[in-house]
């Protein structure tokens, strides 16, 4: 055993001395108000709590060894309330891993399943060990490491961007660069993503939403189907809430304190790109009564999980168990976790998976004013971070537009996805929902006021999306009528059946030029509408260059070419990439799309929907063609900002008329997804085509017009 190294110190003084000895180690009662393990100049402070547990042991392990080299029982005098805390002197944090054993009653029908032999992971572990490389376990049990958690963030201020200013790009850290075509040195890692930052800048992205990066075990449900190993690739089964997944690290980061992830976040911030984490507080990887016991079950099963009256697990997550989020102990864990990632990793926001579970009571019933959501809304450390809810769960609760504490929270706008998918492929009965969606879903979010700023903030309440990790890619949305999930091993019974997709005339891959042309146009339509809708736009990584999952709409287990981004498609579909890039830049140039500006000088109303005749402001319920206008005065530019978005889902030409503008101002065509016959779909500023009076909308196309002074042209 290596004893304490006097050259290893932290920046704060701690003056304590041992009061006793356990298993040969000098010890004393610890710091009871600090959860987890903390390095100190004299040793390490260990704190853990259990309500029903009757005794606790600290286990110390050498790296890569199964059995502990030291077992330190906590004396009763080292306990206050339900909290055990002990400082162990003479420990060097680089030399050991740790875990716990808790004894207590075993009465399963009451939810008590203590096992004095179970080796338990610290729920507050800042680093989790147990695996050496992706897809392989080193040993049977999870253990934790103590970290110093010191990093120089410099004078970097917290981002001041509002949600509506973001272009959110959802990606999987491993899948983003794992493919051989990615061209990065460190494939499938935080470092690999860092290498792609210039690409994100070129595209115009200013926020990345990372699918789960908390420690998870991809081997937890490993199986083989048709000779291929399937893993828990997505990572929606959390093992440790405070620990980054070390298998996303390019080098051996056993003693590197999360440095690679912090370097990534710092570099993203230096390039004006925010970081949003997809967090999973609705369940854990321990599963139901048949699942493993590695942490929460062994500490306080009846505290951390929602249990039925007979001691079984409620399953509102669809993954076996449901975290008891509104129990005060679990509330505290979640609050401390989010604070930790905000302070120690400078994260800008959190997207909460199946967030409706966060509003369920301990018996599973919905709460009117959930204490957890209220606490998160008013927490001073979290006051400037984005809180984004996936406002539904697997138990049937759907809260889009009415998520509790929604004045502070934004939502994934599920209605936008459904309505726009349906309308764009020609389902005219969705016209009204589509018009509301493009306009900012004012029927869902309008009239809200920020609890901090006191002004209209409906445009900061929704995240608009047509694609995300869960479902078809944008290419597949217009290439498949049906899901093709057979390679998942469930006989195509998994994944959503309600995809609202359209194959444009041929299922899957085809060489038919007419089908391929229509698919490309439908993708342009989707991109144009998304970028011209009020509310923060989000799309799935790879959509901008036609990435496909071959019709699989539930790739949670596919750690292979089905899920990995094929970067060779970037050159093959460069035209599509350039269209995305133009639309992102266009949105940024026209803030009137994102938010309500002061009234336009020209007198146009700030926001309105239009029939094919722009003077008709009410659209038919079953309209196949509609338009939305945005108008306001841009103080920075000193002129009106006018945008007119027209969507024709009909399969014939439709003549539309544009709103009449004041003398000296005219409409100019900026985007036409049908094209001009010469492969041009966008018109940069200064090269737009002037449109007087009317315009012929070609079949299944989107056109975007910009109102400008006629005097700016020569």
């Amino acid at each position: 055993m290596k004893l304490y190294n006097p050259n290893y110190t932290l920046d704060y003084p701690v003056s304590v001395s041992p009061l006793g000895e356990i298993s040969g180690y000098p010890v004393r009662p610890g710091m009871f108000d600090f959860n987890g393990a903390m390095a100190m100049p004299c040793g390490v402070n260990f704190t853990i709590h259990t309500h029903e547990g009757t005794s606790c042991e600290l286990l110390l392990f050498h790296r890569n060894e199964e059995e502990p080299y030291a077992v330190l029982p906590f004396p009763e005098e080292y306990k206050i309330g339900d909290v055990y805390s002990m400082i162990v002197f003479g420990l060097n944090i680089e030399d050991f891993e740790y875990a716990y054993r808790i004894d207590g009653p075993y009465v399963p029908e009451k939810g008590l399943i203590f096992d004095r032999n179970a080796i338990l992971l610290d729920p507050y572990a800042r680093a989790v060990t147990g695996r050496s490389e992706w897809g392989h376990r080193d040993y049977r049990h999870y253990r934790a490491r103590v970290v110093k958690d010191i990093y120089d963030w410099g004078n970097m201020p917290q981002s001041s961007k509002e949600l509506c200013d973001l272009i959110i790009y959802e990606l999987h850290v491993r899948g983003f660069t794992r493919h051989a075509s990615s061209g990065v040195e460190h494939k499938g890692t935080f470092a690999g993503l860092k290498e792609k930052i210039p690409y994100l800048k070129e595209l115009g992205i200013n926020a990345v939403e990372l699918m789960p990066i908390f420690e998870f075990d991809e081997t937890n449900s490993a199986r083989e189907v048709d000779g291929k190993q399937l893993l828990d690739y997505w990572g929606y089964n959390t093992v440790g809430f405070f620990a980054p997944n070390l298998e996303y690290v390019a080098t051996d980061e056993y003693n590197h304190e999360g440095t690679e992830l912090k370097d990534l976040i710092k570099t993203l911030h230096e390039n004006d790109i925010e970081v949003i984490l997809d967090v999973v507080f609705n369940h854990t990887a321990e599963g139901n009564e048949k699942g493993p016991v590695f942490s929460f079950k062994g500490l306080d099963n009846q505290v951390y999980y929602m249990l039925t009256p007979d001691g079984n697990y409620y399953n509102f997550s669809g993954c076996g168990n449901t975290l008891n989020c509104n129990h005060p102990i679990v509330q505290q864990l979640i609050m401390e976790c989010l604070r930790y990632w905000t302070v120690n990793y400078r994260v800008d926001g959190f997207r909460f998976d199946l967030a409706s579970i966060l509003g369920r009571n301990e018996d599973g019933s919905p709460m009117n004013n959930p204490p957890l959501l209220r606490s998160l809304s008013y927490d001073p450390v979290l006051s400037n971070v984005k809180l984004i809810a996936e406002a539904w769960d697997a138990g049937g609760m759907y809260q889009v537009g009415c998520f509790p504490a929604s004045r502070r929270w934004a939502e994934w706008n599920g209605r936008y996805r459904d309505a726009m998918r349906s309308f764009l492929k020609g389902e005219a009965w969705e016209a009204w929902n589509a018009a509301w969606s493009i306009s900012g879903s004012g029927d869902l979010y309008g009239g809200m006021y920020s609890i901090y700023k006191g002004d209209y903030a409906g445009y900061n309440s929704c995240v608009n999306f047509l694609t995300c990790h869960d479902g078809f890619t944008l290419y597949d949305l217009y290439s498949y009528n049906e899901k093709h999930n057979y390679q998942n091993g469930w006989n195509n019974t998994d994944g959503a059946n309600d995809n609202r997709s359209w194959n444009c005339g041929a299922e899957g891959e085809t060489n038919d030029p007419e089908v391929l042309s229509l698919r490309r146009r439908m993708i342009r339509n989707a991109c144009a509408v998304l970028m011209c809708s009020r509310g923060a736009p989000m799309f799935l990584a790879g959509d901008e260059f036609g990435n496909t999952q071959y019709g699989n709409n539930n790739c949670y287990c596919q750690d292979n070419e089905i899920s990995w981004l094929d970067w060779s498609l970037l050159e093959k579909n460069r035209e599509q990439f350039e269209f995305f890039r133009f639309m992102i830049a266009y949105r940024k140039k026209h803030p009137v799309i994102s938010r309500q500006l002061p009234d336009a000088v020209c007198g146009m109303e700030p926001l309105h929907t239009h029939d094919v005749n722009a003077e008709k402001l009410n659209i038919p319920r079953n309209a196949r063609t509609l338009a939305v206008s945005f108008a306001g005065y841009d103080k920075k530019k000193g002129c009106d900002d006018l945008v007119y978005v027209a969507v024709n889902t009909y399969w014939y030409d439709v003549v539309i008329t544009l709103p009449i503008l004041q003398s000296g101002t005219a409409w100019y065509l900026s985007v036409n997804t049908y094209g001009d016959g010469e492969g041009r779909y966008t018109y940069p500023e200064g090269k737009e085509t002037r449109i007087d009076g009317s315009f012929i909308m070609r079949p299944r196309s989107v056109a975007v017009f910009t109102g400008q002074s006629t005097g700016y042209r020569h």
Side-chain angles (χ1 to χ4, degrees):
M1 177 187 69
K2 293 182 180 179
L3 294 178
Y4 166 65
N5 179 356
N7 295 320
Y8 167 64
T9 60
L10 296 181
D11 294 333
Y12 52 85
V14 177
S15 178
V16 293
S17 58
L19 292 179
E21 183 177 294
I22 300 175
S23 301
Y25 287 88
V27 298
R28 69 169 293 139
M31 303 171 67
F32 291 85
D33 56 353
F34 181 90
N35 288 311
M38 178 175 61
M40 304 172 68
C42 54
V44 178
N45 181 86
F46 298 92
T47 302
I48 192 166
H49 55 78
T50 172
H51 182 60
E52 295 287 350
T54 55
S55 66
C56 179
E57 293 177 329
L58 171 67
L59 312 180
L60 302 179
F61 297 82
H62 290 305
R63 188 180 184 186
N64 297 326
E65 292 187 2
E66 281 284 343
E67 298 299 322
Y69 68 81
V71 178
L72 288 74
F74 283 80
E76 278 300 307
E77 57 269 29
Y78 287 40
K79 180 182 181 184
I80 295 178
D82 294 335
V83 182
Y84 294 92
S85 188
M86 175 167 55
I87 298 173
V88 181
F89 294 82
L91 291 179
N92 187 331
I93 66 172
E94 298 181 2
D95 294 337
F96 72 92
E97 300 168 352
Y98 75 96
Y100 295 99
R101 285 197 295 241
I102 306 286
D103 199 5
Y106 184 79
V107 189
E109 61 272 20
K110 294 185 178 180
L112 303 173
I113 56 171
F114 288 95
D115 179 357
R116 63 180 300 176
N117 297 313
I119 295 177
L120 305 178
L121 176 69
D122 182 357
Y124 286 84
R126 267 56 171 178
V128 178
T129 68
R131 289 163 292 151
S132 59
E133 58 181 290
W134 178 268
H136 299 280
R137 287 288 301 272
D138 275 350
Y139 36 82
R140 292 177 299 160
H141 308 292
Y142 296 110
R143 280 120 61 159
R145 268 197 318 107
V146 184
V147 301
K148 290 177 286 186
D149 238 345
I150 298 173
Y151 187 82
D152 184 6
W153 291 97
N155 293 323
M156 184 177 297
Q158 192 174 25
S159 174
S160 59
K161 291 187 183 69
E162 293 188 60
L163 181 72
C164 63
D165 292 324
L166 300 186
I167 312 292
I168 304 174
Y169 189 74
E170 189 196 29
L171 65 87
H172 187 282
V173 170
R174 179 171 170 83
F176 192 60
T177 61
R178 184 66 184 85
H179 198 277
S181 63
S182 66
V184 303
E185 179 181 358
H186 304 292
K187 293 178 174 59
T189 65
F190 295 129
L193 174 53
K194 181 180 174 183
E195 293 178 65
K196 284 291 188 182
I197 291 177
Y199 171 81
L200 299 177
K201 291 281 288 184
E202 180 186 8
L203 180 58
I205 297 303
N206 60 12
V208 291
E209 183 174 305
L210 306 182
M211 289 173 65
I213 63 165
F214 291 0
E215 188 63 56
F216 65 90
D217 181 6
E218 75 284 353
T219 69
N220 189 40
S221 56
R223 53 201 168 90
E224 190 172 293
V225 173
D226 297 331
K228 285 188 176 181
Q229 185 186 42
L230 303 185
L231 301 170
D232 182 13
Y233 166 73
W234 277 353
Y236 287 93
N237 271 308
T238 308
V239 167
F241 290 101
F242 291 78
N245 189 341
L246 290 187
E247 289 182 349
Y248 285 169
V249 176
T251 58
D252 182 3
E253 194 164 323
Y254 189 75
N255 294 314
H256 292 177
E257 315 297 338
T259 304
E260 189 173 308
L261 175 55
K262 293 173 181 176
D263 285 344
L264 167 64
I265 294 174
K266 184 175 183 180
T267 308
L268 285 166
H269 285 173
E270 289 170 347
N271 284 274
D272 202 31
I273 299 174
E274 290 194 2
V275 177
I276 299 169
L277 297 187
D278 192 343
V279 293
V280 188
F281 291 114
N282 55 76
H283 72 283
T284 77
E286 287 186 304
N288 59 19
E289 56 274 1
K290 297 180 180 179
V293 177
F294 62 76
S295 185
F296 303 100
K297 285 182 178 179
L299 285 166
D300 269 317
N301 183 56
Q302 80 290 4
V303 167
Y304 287 102
Y305 296 111
M306 291 184 189
L307 302 180
T308 65
D310 57 359
N312 290 320
Y313 296 88
Y314 281 116
N315 188 19
F316 299 115
S317 68
C319 297
N321 64 49
T322 306
L323 267 182
N324 194 8
C325 296
N326 284 294
H327 188 288
I329 294 299
V330 186
Q331 284 186 61
Q332 180 183 10
L333 175 88
I334 294 173
M335 291 288 293
E336 289 193 39
C337 175
L338 296 176
R339 282 171 162 243
Y340 175 75
W341 286 96
T342 300
V343 173
N344 292 67
Y345 284 85
R346 303 300 171 91
V347 168
D348 302 288
F350 303 94
R351 176 266 184 188
F352 294 77
D353 183 63
L354 298 182
S356 290
I357 284 175
L358 306 183
R360 288 187 181 270
N361 208 338
E362 294 184 48
D363 62 359
S365 60
M367 306 177 75
N368 291 327
N369 190 18
L372 172 61
L373 300 184
R374 183 173 176 82
S375 295
L376 292 175
S377 298
Y378 289 95
D379 184 79
V381 172
L382 305 177
S383 65
N384 289 329
V385 302
K386 280 79 175 175
L387 302 178
I388 304 170
E390 183 185 37
W392 54 84
D393 65 24
M397 190 146 64
Y398 189 80
Q399 297 176 302
V400 172
C402 58
F403 189 73
S406 55
R407 288 185 176 183
R408 171 66 175 88
W409 288 65
E411 299 173 10
W412 267 22
N413 191 346
R415 193 195 65 176
Y416 181 97
R417 174 198 59 200
D418 296 341
M420 293 311 307
R421 281 188 175 192
S422 293
F423 184 67
L424 286 174
K425 72 171 184 166
E427 294 179 354
W429 55 86
E430 287 282 7
W432 281 15
N433 283 333
W436 275 115
S437 296
I438 298 171
S439 304
S441 298
D443 56 332
L444 298 179
Y445 307 108
M448 290 185 180
Y449 289 81
S450 168
I451 58 176
Y452 296 113
K453 299 180 180 179
D455 59 351
Y456 178 73
Y459 43 80
N460 279 321
S461 297
C462 71
V463 174
N464 296 326
F465 68 105
L466 289 162
T467 59
C468 63
H469 68 276
D470 192 3
F472 283 139
T473 67
L474 190 57
Y475 178 88
D476 290 355
L477 188 66
Y478 297 114
S479 299
Y480 296 91
N481 282 346
E482 308 293 338
K483 64 185 182 183
H484 294 262
N485 297 356
Y486 291 98
Q487 294 187 62
N488 293 354
W490 307 116
N491 197 30
N492 208 36
T493 58
D494 64 305
N497 294 316
D498 181 18
N499 295 290
R500 309 189 185 205
S501 60
W502 180 41
N503 64 19
C504 296
E507 188 73 0
E509 295 304 311
T510 180
N511 294 319
D512 188 321
E514 291 188 8
V515 172
L516 293 175
S517 176
L518 178 56
R519 287 178 179 177
R520 288 190 289 267
R521 193 189 328 146
M522 294 297 290
I523 289 172
R524 289 192 293 272
N525 290 348
C527 174
V529 170
L530 179 65
M531 292 304 159
C532 289
S533 296
R534 184 159 288 179
M538 182 192 78
F539 62 96
L540 181 63
D543 279 350
E544 72 276 15
F545 55 73
N547 192 64
T548 178
Q549 293 173 171
Y550 310 99
N552 192 320
N553 74 350
N554 188 32
C555 290
Y556 75 100
C557 57
Q558 298 293 341
D559 177 40
N560 49 52
E561 287 81 0
I562 292 176
S563 289
W564 301 341
L565 265 65
D566 181 356
W567 288 87
S568 68
L569 295 171
L570 176 57
E571 289 308 314
K572 178 182 177 181
N573 299 317
R574 171 63 65 169
E575 184 181 81
Q576 183 173 320
F577 169 84
E578 293 297 340
F579 186 85
F580 266 76
R581 193 160 73 100
F582 179 91
M583 290 308 310
I584 291 171
Y586 183 87
R587 179 183 180 88
K588 290 179 178 179
K589 288 179 182 177
H590 296 281
V592 73
I593 299 173
S594 304
R595 54 168 47 79
Q596 185 168 334
L597 300 179
D599 289 347
V601 174
C602 70
M604 276 189 66
E605 292 190 36
L607 174 66
H608 225 300
T609 57
H610 305 262
D611 194 7
V612 291
N613 180 346
E615 300 307 311
K616 294 182 179 180
L617 302 181
N618 296 317
I619 62 172
R621 183 177 289 275
N622 61 345
R624 296 192 183 277
T625 307
L626 59 81
V628 176
S629 60
F630 301 97
Y633 183 75
D634 186 345
K635 293 182 179 180
K636 291 184 179 180
K637 294 181 180 179
C639 62
D640 282 347
D641 190 8
L642 310 175
V643 174
Y644 194 77
V645 184
V647 183
N648 179 28
T649 67
Y650 202 27
W651 40 93
Y652 294 111
D653 288 351
V654 174
V655 178
I656 66 169
T657 62
L658 302 177
I660 299 173
L661 296 179
Q662 288 182 341
S663 177
T665 306
W667 291 109
Y668 291 85
L669 179 65
S670 296
V671 178
N672 180 7
T673 64
Y674 196 90
D676 61 358
E678 299 180 0
R680 184 167 60 169
Y681 307 100
T682 60
Y683 300 81
E685 187 173 326
K687 297 182 179 180
E688 305 100 322
T689 301
R690 178 170 171 170
I691 305 297
D692 291 318
S694 63
F695 180 78
I696 300 175
M697 293 285 296
R698 301 306 306 277
R700 300 190 188 276
S701 67
V702 173
V704 182
F705 307 89
T706 308
Q708 299 186 32
S709 169
T710 56
Y712 86 107
R713 296 177 182 278
H714 302 287

